[in-house]
Amino acid sequence: EAQVTQNPRYLITVTGKKLTVTCSQNMNHEYMSWYRQDPGLGLRQIYYSMNVEVTDKGDVPEGYKVSRKEKRNFPLILESPSPNQTSLYFCASSHRDRGQDYGYTFGSGTRLTVV
Amino acid sequence: QQQVKQSPQSLIVQKGGISIINCAYENTAFDYFPWYQQFPGKGPALLIAIRPDVSEKKEGRFTISFNKSAKQFSLHIMDSQPGDSATYFCAASKGRGSTLGRLYFGRGTQLTVWP
């Protein structure tokens, strides 16, 4: 089954304790992206990646890191989490065909609480 | 600066009625306009998308109307059903050329369809 898999689904952590949210896709997609979803603010892009070793900042990159060492994986790293990073996080992947973008396929989400 | 503005924030429609959600954008470089549907506890799922070379696209009960000169696009759900109750997001991206993978979302519309 074609899918984007995020882990964990739920995470409660303390301020300052480094954490990683993993993301993997099995569709051989070039593009991958991380979004956070907050009430009333919709989905805001954190980072995105056009291919292996190619990443760029989205709208809200502060406090986050990403890496794309393999095509299928795109982990999100919070080096020193703070309470304002409490949110619902989504990983997504997409592809191009004949020079055109297609829609993102989203994972099921990771609900992060930083206390 | 919000790249895509969506309205209304919430919408209540009777079963069998027409649901209409509107979005507006400023960046004329956008050339890919998807709509996503999100159910509680799930990630957003691509519903329908349009490119600016057409003014309307229909898939079943879902229709996108696109007005390039006004820089507006809308989602119409005909014969709305209780199962359509979800949050809907419009989005926009530069589907061709540079900054591929950069997808901007509206803030979402919570649709409730009463039986």
Side-chain angles (χ1 to χ4, degrees), chain B residues 95-112:
Chain B
R96 287 171 264 202
S98 63
T99 63
L100 292 161
R102 193 79 169 87
L103 183 62
Y104 301 90
F105 281 86
R107 292 189 175 179
T109 297
Q110 175 95 44
L111 171 65
T112 303

Side-chain angles (χ1 to χ4, degrees), chain B residues 48 50-51 53-58 63-66 76:
Chain B
I48 186 172
I50 197 168
R51 299 189 193 275
D53 47 349
V54 296
S55 60
E56 186 175 280
K57 183 174 181 179
K58 185 176 181 179
T63 300
I64 299 179
S65 296
F66 185 80
H76 296 235

Side-chain angles (χ1 to χ4, degrees), chain A residues 95-106:
Chain A
H95 71 289
R96 296 181 71 192
D97 185 17
R98 298 172 193 169
Q100 294 194 20
D101 253 354
Y102 287 80
Y104 273 111
T105 298
F106 281 79

Side-chain angles (χ1 to χ4, degrees), chain B residues 65-86:
Chain B
S65 296
F66 185 80
N67 187 329
K68 190 174 182 178
S69 60
K71 291 185 284 186
Q72 295 176 346
F73 58 110
S74 60
L75 177 70
H76 296 235
I77 306 174
M78 311 299 288
D79 186 26
S80 299
Q81 299 297 311
D84 297 331
S85 297

Side-chain angles (χ1 to χ4, degrees), chain A residues 9 31 33 35 37 40-43 45 48 50 57-59 88 90 96 99-108, chain B residues 9 32 36 38 41-46 51 87 89 93-97 99-108:
Chain A
R9 288 294 309 276
Y31 303 121
S33 186
Y35 284 86
Q37 183 174 14
L41 297 179
L43 291 145
Q45 200 166 28
Y48 64 105
M50 289 71 78
K57 297 177 181 178
D59 293 315
L88 179 58
F90 288 102
R96 296 181 71 192
Q100 294 194 20
D101 253 354
Y102 287 80
Y104 273 111
T105 298
F106 281 79
S108 298
Chain B
Q9 192 172 358
Y32 177 66
Y36 284 81
Q38 185 182 29
K42 303 289 187 183
L46 180 64
R51 299 189 193 275
T87 300
F89 293 96
S93 74
K94 303 171 199 175
R96 287 171 264 202
T99 63
L100 292 161
R102 193 79 169 87
L103 183 62
Y104 301 90
F105 281 86
R107 292 189 175 179

Side-chain angles (χ1 to χ4, degrees), chain A residues 29-75:
Chain A
H29 283 173
E30 307 94 272
Y31 303 121
M32 296 188 75
S33 186
W34 276 101
Y35 284 86
R36 61 177 288 173
Q37 183 174 14
D38 301 288
L41 297 179
L43 291 145
R44 294 179 293 169
Q45 200 166 28
I46 303 171
Y47 270 95
Y48 64 105
S49 170
M50 289 71 78
N51 216 322
V52 175
E53 301 292 2
V54 183
T55 63
D56 207 348
K57 297 177 181 178
D59 293 315
V60 288
E62 295 77 21
Y64 304 96
K65 282 177 59 176
V66 293
S67 67
R68 186 96 182 269
K69 294 184 171 56
E70 305 167 282
K71 197 171 186 179
R72 63 182 290 124
N73 296 322
F74 191 45

